[in-house]
Amino acid sequence: DAGVTQSPTHLIKTRGQQVTLRCSPKSGHDTVSWYQQALGQGPQFIFQYYEEEERQRGNFPDRFSGHQFPNYSSELNVNALLLGDSALYLCASSLRDSGQPQHFGDGTRLSIL
Amino acid sequence: GENVEQHPSTLSVQEGDSAVIKCTYSDSASNYFPWYKQELGKRPQLIIDIRSNVGEKKDQRIAVTLNKTAKHFSLHITETQPEDSAVYFCAASIQDTGFQKLVFGTGTRLLVSP
């Protein structure tokens, strides 16, 4: 049973560029959440997708956008990258209304030069 | 919005000792409190969770207690082992629409010395 998978593992970009990160949820899960984890900090909630719609959003600017596909996989897009966007981006999946906890992927390490 | 504070930021213990990590939350509507363990370069892994209708939960050497009145919850690890060394995060969430939005604490780096 495959868990949450994310790609790529590592990514290096320069300021002003755009990036797309990908996530495949655990089998049977229908909800995908994205978190940003800066070095030495706890993960911060970016947004959450269910039925291809953004359901909840954290305190992140519009440069951060996402998408969910019919197969429940999801993308996180970040435009006009800033040095402060350097972080580990974690995807977590869950099944709505199950009361079960979120399962995290290994994350994508994004470095902005 | 919800805010979660976590203490201490670092904790060093000897193998076999107990370790306690404490968290406080601000939103009284929060009703789900998971704890995650994150080893260097790896994903956060759920180690135990508790819901607001329960005051204590135990799983072998790990236990979590919740005080809703004071809005704080704690992780207790007994008989610590070197493999318990990692960063531990508490989190709080409101589950009212079937969705979880986890608000994390800043983490506690636990070091267990042999």
Side-chain angles (χ1 to χ4, degrees), chain A residues 4 31 33 35 37 40-43 45 48 50 55-58 88 90 96-97 99-102 104-106, chain B residues 32 34 36 38 41-46 49 51 89 94-95 97-107 109:
Chain A
V4 180
T31 303
S33 303
Y35 294 83
Q37 186 176 23
Q41 300 295 317
F45 178 79
Q48 184 175 72
Y50 171 75
R55 300 293 175 164
Q56 297 191 83
R57 188 179 183 92
L88 178 68
L90 293 162
R96 188 192 175 191
D97 289 331
Q100 297 302 306
Q102 294 183 9
F104 282 85
D106 286 330
Chain B
Y32 175 65
Y36 286 86
Q38 188 175 31
K42 296 191 175 182
R43 70 182 71 185
Q45 290 199 307
L46 180 76
D49 57 6
R51 301 182 189 279
F89 292 98
I94 301 171
Q95 288 185 275
T97 59
F99 297 113
Q100 285 181 21
K101 172 188 170 182
L102 296 175
V103 178
F104 284 84
T106 50
R109 182 172 301 279

Side-chain angles (χ1 to χ4, degrees), chain B residues 50-114:
Chain B
I50 192 168
R51 301 182 189 279
S52 59
N53 59 348
V54 176
E56 184 175 357
K57 183 177 179 180
K58 190 173 181 180
D59 182 4
Q60 299 183 337
R61 297 186 298 109
I62 295 174
V64 57
T65 58
L66 171 65
N67 183 327
K68 287 189 295 183
T69 302
K71 289 190 283 188
H72 66 70
F73 55 114
S74 300
L75 178 71
H76 304 253
I77 305 175
T78 59
E79 301 172 23
T80 54
Q81 302 166 1
E83 50 266 39
D84 293 330
S85 297
V87 178
Y88 291 80
F89 292 98
C90 63
S93 175
I94 301 171
Q95 288 185 275
D96 54 2
T97 59
F99 297 113
Q100 285 181 21
K101 172 188 170 182
L102 296 175
V103 178
F104 284 84
T106 50
T108 296
R109 182 172 301 279
L110 174 65
L111 177 62
V112 181
S113 302

Side-chain angles (χ1 to χ4, degrees), chain A residues 22-90:
Chain A
R22 295 176 176 83
C23 171
S24 291
K26 178 179 169 66
S27 178
H29 286 182
D30 58 10
T31 303
V32 173
S33 303
W34 288 92
Y35 294 83
Q36 180 195 66
Q37 186 176 23
L39 200 61
Q41 300 295 317
Q44 288 202 330
F45 178 79
I46 302 174
F47 45 51
Q48 184 175 72
Y49 278 84
Y50 171 75
E51 290 188 336
E52 303 178 49
E53 291 187 11
E54 184 182 291
R55 300 293 175 164
Q56 297 191 83
R57 188 179 183 92
N59 189 26
F60 279 80
D62 291 345
R63 298 187 297 111
F64 289 76
S65 63
H67 189 78
Q68 185 180 34
F69 300 93
N71 67 352
Y72 307 117
S73 67
S74 177
E75 290 182 349
L76 164 65
N77 301 292
V78 187
N79 295 322
L81 287 167
L82 303 174
L83 292 178
D85 295 332
S86 295
L88 178 68
Y89 287 85
L90 293 162

